[in-house]
Amino acid sequence: MSEQVESRGFSVESNGLNVIADADRKGRPSQLFWPWFGANVSVLGLSYGAFVLGFGISFWQGVVAGVIGVAFSFLLCGLIALAGKRGSAPTLVLSRAAFGVRGNKLPSLVSWVLTVGWETVLTILATLATATVFERLGWGGGTVTKVIALLVVGVLIVACGVLGFDLIMRAQTIITVVTGVLTVVYIVLVADKIHWSTVSHLEHGSTQQLIGAVVFVMTGFGLGWVNAAADYSRYLPRASSSRGVVGWTTFGGSVAPIVLLLFGLLLAGSSEDLSTAIGADPIGALAAALPTWFLVPFVIVAVLGLVGGAVLDIYSSGLALLSIGLPAPRYVAALIDGVVMIAGTIYVVFFGTEFFGQFQGFLITLGVPIAAWCGIMLADIATRRSDYAERDLYDAIGRYGDIRWLPVLTMIVATGIGWGLVVNTYASWLAWQGYLLGPFGLGPKDGSWAYANLGVLVALVLGFLVQRIAGARAVRHQEAIA
């Protein structure tokens, strides 16, 4: 990489919603490994072991749910990343080809809420983990510690989000190496806490419980990234291997979560007390089994892993905010999202209550509309035979139109059906969901399908089928325009 490109890592990126110029497209698909691995190597993956077992399934069922949920959801990211290579624009700009220039404001809004929510969740976890470890070290884990931790984490995330792509790529490479090594050390240190005799005797759950765990893992991992999947592949040359884009995105995103989740299953399955503690403080609880000398390195690996994910989120949330229509440069959008992120963290850390129930409700609720959008986007990508007409992505009277009502209505209807088929028992503010379970004979009185959260899968499939079948003609018409 040239001196000129390297120096841009510490300057504010000027690119926003624009198409990346040919002269600025660089790299190879294999370089996608670093941002995706760095964003998902967080020790939070260990906590998912407890989350998955919370569905009442056995260790081996948890393995199945983890592998399928992680790998399939990141495969969706890999497929959507193809659009970035073909169009060299952000994900939520390329989505205009399906929804229309103004019609795309709907998925842009949902995407913004999801990414801001995720970056806030990760900041919350980093703050709580730091306070828990400092308390154990006797350095104080109260309000002052939390405030300092929040400031440090917030500055790191916002700085990377504001400066942009080149710094993010460099930071993620460092985060990958540091967190990868320290996570391996963590696994070695707590391996003796695993009791196979206890884990192997966990009772099997029903098929419905297994599906519920798969859906939860999907929404917690790859499905939470699909709306940003093309934001990084857009910098690759058009001639880059499509198979490489899909493969490296999928592999980079899924390899660390699968390993961490499987080890988390062993840890959580060995200790009911640990599983319970994770519900209140998913990262801090993992420090309980560590020797004192490794607590500071643990804070480093925990915070860096969470920051790695939040950095990608704040970058993409800024792009989503611009796609909604904010008339400002990209770095201003990132700053706005940083303020929202910090405000949300302050509320939860200093005034909130139990974490996991609200977290699960957040994932499943927003997982439904994002799944519907993902299905529509995948069908649109699969139908297209040529690259995007770049100028028309920004012109409401161009070939992609102003509002394309079929995808817009499909997303709304699929979301409405999906919310009717999910249940969030731990989040009282979401008690209205699940309104279709009774009429379809899937409610608690009719069986245990109520907790399989089928609405996410239904929204994904419905979005794909409607757009693939009914929207194909519109795509052919767009591509026929000279």
Side-chain angles (χ1 to χ4, degrees):
M1 193 173 287
S2 67
E3 284 275 333
Q4 181 181 5
V5 174
E6 281 288 329
S7 66
R8 289 191 309 199
F10 296 100
S11 61
V12 177
E13 180 191 359
S14 60
N15 290 315
L17 296 185
N18 57 286
V19 171
I20 304 301
D22 288 333
D24 292 329
R25 294 173 188 158
K26 55 188 181 292
R28 301 179 303 277
S30 59
Q31 291 175 310
L32 292 172
F33 173 83
W34 298 109
W36 290 111
F37 185 91
N40 292 284
V41 72
S42 167
V43 292
L44 177 61
L46 293 168
S47 298
Y48 272 82
F51 299 159
V52 168
L53 293 180
F55 282 84
I57 59 179
S58 68
F59 168 77
W60 290 113
Q61 286 178 311
V63 170
V64 172
V67 172
I68 293 176
V70 172
F72 177 68
S73 62
F74 277 110
L75 175 60
L76 299 179
C77 288
L79 293 171
I80 288 181
L82 283 175
K85 188 205 75 163
R86 293 168 62 179
S88 298
T91 314
L92 269 302
V93 170
L94 299 168
S95 177
R96 293 174 178 176
F99 287 83
V101 175
R102 279 201 307 153
N104 195 62
K105 292 182 184 295
L106 171 63
S108 294
L109 176 61
V110 174
S111 176
W112 180 76
V113 174
L114 178 64
T115 47
V116 169
W118 257 116
E119 67 201 45
T120 303
V121 165
L122 296 176
T123 306
I124 291 167
L125 291 175
T127 304
L128 292 176
T130 303
T132 299
V133 171
F134 273 45
E135 184 176 11
R136 184 177 166 190
L137 287 168
W139 297 350
T143 301
V144 174
T145 300
K146 291 176 181 176
V147 169
I148 295 173
L150 172 57
L151 288 174
V152 172
V153 171
V155 167
L156 285 173
I157 294 170
V158 174
C160 286
V162 168
L163 293 177
F165 177 81
D166 285 294
L167 179 59
I168 288 173
M169 294 296 283
R170 295 171 65 180
Q172 293 295 65
T173 303
I174 297 171
I175 289 172
T176 294
V177 174
V178 175
T179 54
V181 170
L182 292 179
T183 300
V184 170
V185 175
Y186 174 89
I187 289 174
V188 171
L189 289 175
V190 301
D192 63 341
K193 305 298 180 181
I194 294 173
H195 305 291
W196 178 247
S197 59
T198 303
V199 175
S200 61
H201 283 86
L202 293 173
E203 294 186 6
H204 283 272
S206 65
T207 300
Q208 296 93 321
Q209 289 170 306
L210 174 59
I211 294 174
V214 171
V215 171
F216 179 74
V217 172
M218 285 178 57
T219 56
F221 287 101
L223 200 57
W225 288 111
V226 290
N227 54 312
D231 292 353
Y232 308 96
S233 57
R234 67 180 174 138
Y235 285 87
L236 292 173
R238 292 186 190 275
S240 300
S241 164
S242 295
R243 184 174 298 181
V245 170
V246 176
W248 283 108
T249 300
T250 304
F251 178 65
S254 62
V255 60
I258 287 177
V259 172
L260 292 171
L261 193 151
L262 297 187
F263 190 79
L265 288 170
L266 292 170
L267 274 180
S270 300
S271 171
E272 187 174 342
D273 289 341
L274 176 61
S275 292
T276 302
I278 286 173
D281 185 0
I283 304 296
L286 296 171
L290 287 171
T292 303
W293 66 266
F294 192 70
L295 289 177
V296 172
F298 176 78
V299 168
I300 294 173
V301 67
V303 170
L304 281 180
L306 295 167
V307 166
V311 162
L312 262 65
D313 275 318
I314 197 170
Y315 182 77
S316 294
S317 67
L319 294 175
L321 189 56
L322 294 179
S323 186
I324 294 172
L326 179 72
R330 184 201 58 79
Y331 67 88
V332 172
L335 279 173
I336 292 172
D337 290 344
V339 171
V340 175
M341 173 190 78
I342 292 173
T345 302
I346 290 173
Y347 173 76
V348 174
V349 170
F350 298 102
F351 306 102
T353 54
E354 192 270 334
F355 175 81
F356 176 63
Q358 309 304 320
F359 177 55
Q360 185 180 28
F362 162 74
L363 287 183
I364 298 298
T365 299
L366 288 182
V368 172
I370 283 296
W373 171 86
C374 181
I376 295 168
M377 188 69 176
L378 287 173
D380 186 74
I381 293 170
T383 305
R384 294 188 184 279
R385 295 293 177 262
S386 59
D387 290 342
Y388 295 89
E390 296 169 353
R391 291 184 180 180
D392 288 344
L393 291 169
Y394 304 89
D395 186 357
I397 61 173
R399 74 184 66 194
Y400 302 125
D402 186 19
I403 301 175
R404 306 197 70 86
W405 287 106
L406 175 65
V408 170
L409 293 176
T410 298
M411 184 173 174
I412 293 172
V413 172
T415 298
I417 294 174
W419 278 340
L421 296 174
V422 299
V423 171
N424 283 295
T425 56
Y426 298 104
S428 58
W429 57 283
L430 297 172
W432 54 271
Q433 294 178 353
Y435 44 80
L436 294 179
L437 292 169
F440 282 102
L442 301 173
K445 296 181 180 179
D446 307 293
S448 56
W449 282 104
Y451 304 102
N453 287 322
L454 290 175
V456 175
L457 297 177
V458 169
L460 176 67
V461 173
L462 187 60
F464 181 84
L465 290 178
V466 172
Q467 180 65 16
R468 189 76 167 105
I469 296 170
R473 183 177 179 182
V475 172
R476 288 195 294 270
H477 175 71
Q478 292 172 359
E479 295 188 323
I481 298 174

